[in-house]
Short mmCIF file of all heavy atoms in Angstrom, two decimals:
data_model
loop_
_atom_site.label_atom_id
_atom_site.label_comp_id
_atom_site.label_asym_id
_atom_site.label_seq_id
_atom_site.Cartn_x
_atom_site.Cartn_y
_atom_site.Cartn_z
N SER A 1296 -2.03 13.40 6.63
CA SER A 1296 -1.03 13.38 5.55
C SER A 1296 0.36 13.67 6.09
O SER A 1296 1.34 13.03 5.69
CB SER A 1296 -1.39 14.41 4.48
OG SER A 1296 -2.56 14.03 3.82
N TYR A 1299 1.62 10.49 7.72
CA TYR A 1299 2.01 9.47 6.72
C TYR A 1299 3.35 9.82 6.08
O TYR A 1299 4.25 8.99 5.98
CB TYR A 1299 0.97 9.35 5.60
CG TYR A 1299 -0.31 8.62 5.98
CD1 TYR A 1299 -1.55 9.12 5.61
CD2 TYR A 1299 -0.28 7.42 6.66
CE1 TYR A 1299 -2.73 8.46 5.93
CE2 TYR A 1299 -1.45 6.75 6.99
CZ TYR A 1299 -2.66 7.28 6.62
OH TYR A 1299 -3.83 6.62 6.93
N LYS A 1303 7.01 7.90 6.10
CA LYS A 1303 7.64 7.46 4.85
C LYS A 1303 9.08 7.97 4.79
O LYS A 1303 10.01 7.22 4.49
CB LYS A 1303 6.85 7.97 3.63
CG LYS A 1303 5.53 7.24 3.44
CD LYS A 1303 4.59 7.92 2.45
CE LYS A 1303 3.24 7.22 2.43
NZ LYS A 1303 2.23 7.89 1.62
N LEU A 1345 6.43 10.66 -4.91
CA LEU A 1345 5.13 10.39 -4.30
C LEU A 1345 4.44 11.70 -3.97
O LEU A 1345 5.01 12.53 -3.27
CB LEU A 1345 5.31 9.58 -3.01
CG LEU A 1345 4.01 9.25 -2.28
CD1 LEU A 1345 4.03 7.82 -1.80
CD2 LEU A 1345 3.77 10.18 -1.10
N VAL A 1346 3.27 11.91 -4.53
CA VAL A 1346 2.47 13.09 -4.19
C VAL A 1346 1.41 12.61 -3.20
O VAL A 1346 0.56 11.78 -3.54
CB VAL A 1346 1.79 13.71 -5.43
CG1 VAL A 1346 0.94 14.91 -5.04
CG2 VAL A 1346 2.85 14.12 -6.46
N GLN A 1347 1.50 13.10 -1.97
CA GLN A 1347 0.58 12.62 -0.95
C GLN A 1347 -0.85 13.08 -1.26
O GLN A 1347 -1.08 14.26 -1.55
CB GLN A 1347 1.03 13.13 0.44
CG GLN A 1347 0.25 12.56 1.61
CD GLN A 1347 0.42 11.06 1.80
OE1 GLN A 1347 1.43 10.48 1.46
NE2 GLN A 1347 -0.61 10.41 2.32
N LEU A 1348 -1.78 12.16 -1.21
CA LEU A 1348 -3.19 12.48 -1.45
C LEU A 1348 -3.93 12.56 -0.11
O LEU A 1348 -3.48 11.91 0.84
CB LEU A 1348 -3.82 11.39 -2.33
CG LEU A 1348 -3.12 11.16 -3.68
CD1 LEU A 1348 -3.76 9.99 -4.41
CD2 LEU A 1348 -3.12 12.41 -4.53
N PRO A 1349 -4.99 13.28 0.04
CA PRO A 1349 -5.68 14.04 -1.01
C PRO A 1349 -5.00 15.38 -1.29
O PRO A 1349 -4.29 15.91 -0.42
CB PRO A 1349 -7.07 14.26 -0.41
CG PRO A 1349 -6.85 14.27 1.08
CD PRO A 1349 -5.71 13.33 1.32
N LEU A 1360 -1.22 13.26 -10.96
CA LEU A 1360 -0.69 11.89 -10.93
C LEU A 1360 -0.20 11.46 -12.32
O LEU A 1360 0.81 10.78 -12.45
CB LEU A 1360 -1.75 10.91 -10.42
CG LEU A 1360 -2.18 11.09 -8.96
CD1 LEU A 1360 -3.22 10.05 -8.57
CD2 LEU A 1360 -1.00 11.01 -8.00
N ASP A 1370 4.11 4.84 -6.35
CA ASP A 1370 2.78 4.57 -5.80
C ASP A 1370 2.01 3.60 -6.71
O ASP A 1370 1.03 2.99 -6.29
CB ASP A 1370 1.98 5.88 -5.76
CG ASP A 1370 1.75 6.39 -4.34
OD1 ASP A 1370 1.76 5.58 -3.41
OD2 ASP A 1370 1.55 7.62 -4.19
N PHE A 1372 0.16 4.51 -9.30
CA PHE A 1372 -1.17 5.07 -9.61
C PHE A 1372 -1.29 5.56 -11.05
O PHE A 1372 -2.38 5.87 -11.52
CB PHE A 1372 -1.50 6.24 -8.67
CG PHE A 1372 -1.68 5.86 -7.22
CD1 PHE A 1372 -1.67 6.83 -6.22
CD2 PHE A 1372 -1.91 4.54 -6.85
CE1 PHE A 1372 -1.85 6.50 -4.89
CE2 PHE A 1372 -2.09 4.20 -5.51
CZ PHE A 1372 -2.06 5.18 -4.53
N CYS A 1392 1.11 0.02 -3.45
CA CYS A 1392 1.76 -0.43 -2.20
C CYS A 1392 0.86 -1.26 -1.28
O CYS A 1392 1.33 -2.27 -0.73
CB CYS A 1392 2.32 0.78 -1.47
SG CYS A 1392 3.49 1.68 -2.51
N THR A 1393 -0.38 -0.85 -1.09
CA THR A 1393 -1.22 -1.64 -0.16
C THR A 1393 -1.53 -3.03 -0.73
O THR A 1393 -1.31 -4.04 -0.04
CB THR A 1393 -2.50 -0.85 0.23
OG1 THR A 1393 -2.08 0.37 0.84
CG2 THR A 1393 -3.37 -1.63 1.19
N ILE A 1421 -7.33 2.07 -5.42
CA ILE A 1421 -6.10 1.92 -4.65
C ILE A 1421 -5.96 0.51 -4.09
O ILE A 1421 -4.86 -0.02 -3.98
CB ILE A 1421 -6.03 2.99 -3.52
CG1 ILE A 1421 -5.90 4.38 -4.13
CG2 ILE A 1421 -4.91 2.72 -2.54
CD1 ILE A 1421 -5.76 5.51 -3.15
N THR A 1532 2.24 -1.06 3.97
CA THR A 1532 2.15 -0.12 2.85
C THR A 1532 3.45 0.67 2.67
O THR A 1532 3.98 0.78 1.56
CB THR A 1532 0.94 0.82 3.05
OG1 THR A 1532 -0.22 0.00 3.13
CG2 THR A 1532 0.78 1.79 1.91
N1 GUN B 3013 -2.92 9.01 0.84
C1 GUN B 3013 -3.38 7.94 1.54
N2 GUN B 3013 -2.77 6.81 1.12
C2 GUN B 3013 -1.92 7.17 0.14
C3 GUN B 3013 -1.01 6.44 -0.68
O1 GUN B 3013 -0.86 5.21 -0.60
N3 GUN B 3013 -0.30 7.18 -1.58
C4 GUN B 3013 -0.45 8.51 -1.70
N4 GUN B 3013 0.28 9.16 -2.62
N5 GUN B 3013 -1.29 9.23 -0.96
C5 GUN B 3013 -2.03 8.55 -0.04
#
Side-chain angles (χ1 to χ4, degrees):
S1296 292
Y1299 285 136
K1303 288 167 187 174
L1345 179 137
V1346 179
Q1347 187 65 29
L1348 303 176
L1360 294 181
D1370 251 334
F1372 293 165
C1392 302
T1393 301
I1421 294 183
T1532 301

